[in-house]
Amino acid sequence: MTEAQLAAEFETHRPYLRAIAFRMLGSRADADDAVQEAWLRLARAGGGGIGNLRGWLTIVTGRICLDALRRRSARAEQPLELSAGSLPRQAAGAGRGDPEQEALLADSVGLALYVVMDALTPAERVSFVLHDVFEVPFDAIAAILGRSDAATKMLASRARGRIRLGTPAAATATDAAARGVVDAFLAAAGRGDIDGLLAVLAPEAELRARGPERTIVVRGAAEIATRARVGARSGALAHPVLVDGLPGVLFTVDGRPVTIMAFTVTGGVITAIRVLTDQGRLAQVVPSWVA
């Protein structure tokens, strides 16, 4: 097989590999780098003797991502976040596809949820994403991690449990302070505590809620406080997220995303709140493993 033929064959697998890398790394740029490195390793190895190219590339890409996650963990980086600022309307209404297509859709809108994935170890994250999202067999994952099948299954199970429990990732002191203000807002809203809401809202605070048909803007702490009914829906679960680098929360009901909120916190009070309630868009951009 010539290099041109090998390159053409690799291109047929690029979307799949990019989806895997994006799910594990949470960054389009890092995913592209990982896929490019996989191509370079394939080019060096040549195509001879590789019976299952997709499987070979999956293992190679998994190892590249594992190394990247380990380096990131050593530097205490936390790059995953949600970008809800410009979700494309054409994404709404389409049904959920297979995990690869779901990851590709998330990539197309620049989205990765920062829920608890960064609380996982690199090995847990690789085993969980490859098995639970892409249905890669445990023996192939074990080859990536250099562990036994049984140990790999345990890693995936542990990751699954930690995600369901919603273990938060570590945060800086500034992040923690902002998150504390958001938590106070959510608690007060859940109780219907107007005074509690006013205590954490700046007088000139603005709430901008984007629904399927229109955007509603509410200005002033008093007006926001009287309208706040956050989390009042029965069975609603709150998941902490970052939205464009800001502290936020994703609400799900029966495993379905219903609301995303982002908060701008300045000087210990909330100055702006962004809300996304478009169910069609939420169903498309929130990965199924979150709930």
Side-chain angles (χ1 to χ4, degrees):
M1 183 182 295
T2 67
E3 182 172 335
Q5 291 172 323
L6 190 62
E9 181 71 13
F10 177 83
E11 288 304 314
T12 66
H13 299 289
R14 182 183 290 274
Y16 169 74
L17 299 175
R18 195 167 187 264
I20 285 179
F22 180 76
R23 266 289 198 252
M24 283 197 274
L25 300 176
S27 161
R28 286 176 292 176
D30 289 348
D32 286 341
D33 288 345
V35 173
Q36 183 62 23
E37 177 61 25
W39 158 246
L40 293 175
R41 294 189 187 186
L42 175 61
R44 288 195 296 267
I50 301 177
N52 180 355
L53 183 58
R54 184 183 176 100
W56 188 91
L57 287 170
T58 298
I59 291 176
V60 168
T61 303
R63 286 172 175 162
I64 293 169
C65 291
L66 178 63
D67 290 342
L69 288 169
R70 284 171 173 166
R71 290 193 299 271
R72 179 186 297 171
S73 180
R75 293 193 299 264
E77 293 180 3
Q78 299 173 351
L80 289 184
E81 67 177 52
L82 168 68
S83 178
S86 56
L87 305 182
R89 181 165 292 280
Q90 58 267 32
R96 289 206 175 196
D98 57 57
E100 178 179 347
Q101 291 302 314
E102 185 186 43
L104 288 171
L105 175 62
D107 176 68
S108 73
V109 296
L111 172 69
L113 274 182
Y114 178 81
V115 183
V116 292
M117 287 287 278
D118 274 359
L120 305 180
T121 67
E124 288 172 343
R125 188 157 166 171
V126 168
S127 60
F128 171 78
V129 169
L130 288 180
H131 182 265
D132 284 45
V133 180
F134 291 94
E135 299 181 348
V136 175
F138 278 120
D139 58 348
I141 303 172
I144 294 172
L145 300 176
R147 307 197 186 193
S148 67
D149 288 6
T152 302
K153 290 178 182 178
M154 183 63 68
L155 285 168
S157 176
R158 187 186 307 152
R160 201 175 301 119
R162 294 180 72 178
I163 285 173
R164 287 173 179 167
L165 287 173
T167 305
T172 66
T174 301
D175 293 337
R179 177 64 63 180
V181 173
V182 171
D183 289 344
F185 173 90
L186 296 173
R191 297 190 306 268
D193 180 0
I194 301 297
D195 290 338
L197 289 168
L198 293 174
V200 294
L201 286 166
E204 70 284 3
E206 177 184 277
L207 183 149
R208 187 175 294 269
R210 186 179 181 186
E213 300 299 331
R214 63 192 179 115
T215 297
I216 298 173
V217 179
V218 180
R219 295 186 174 91
E223 189 67 18
I224 294 172
T226 58
R227 296 193 183 198
R229 295 290 185 273
V230 178
R233 187 169 176 178
S234 176
L237 296 177
H239 308 265
V241 297
L242 284 180
V243 186
D244 295 334
L246 302 174
V249 62
L250 163 70
F251 286 99
T252 60
V253 174
D254 297 327
R256 293 180 297 102
V258 295
T259 302
I260 291 174
M261 303 181 70
F263 299 81
T264 300
V265 179
T266 305
V269 291
I270 297 168
T271 57
I273 304 172
R274 283 193 297 147
V275 184
L276 178 64
T277 60
D278 187 325
Q279 303 300 293
R281 297 183 193 183
L282 288 170
Q284 287 298 313
V285 301
V286 176
S288 59
W289 47 262
V290 171

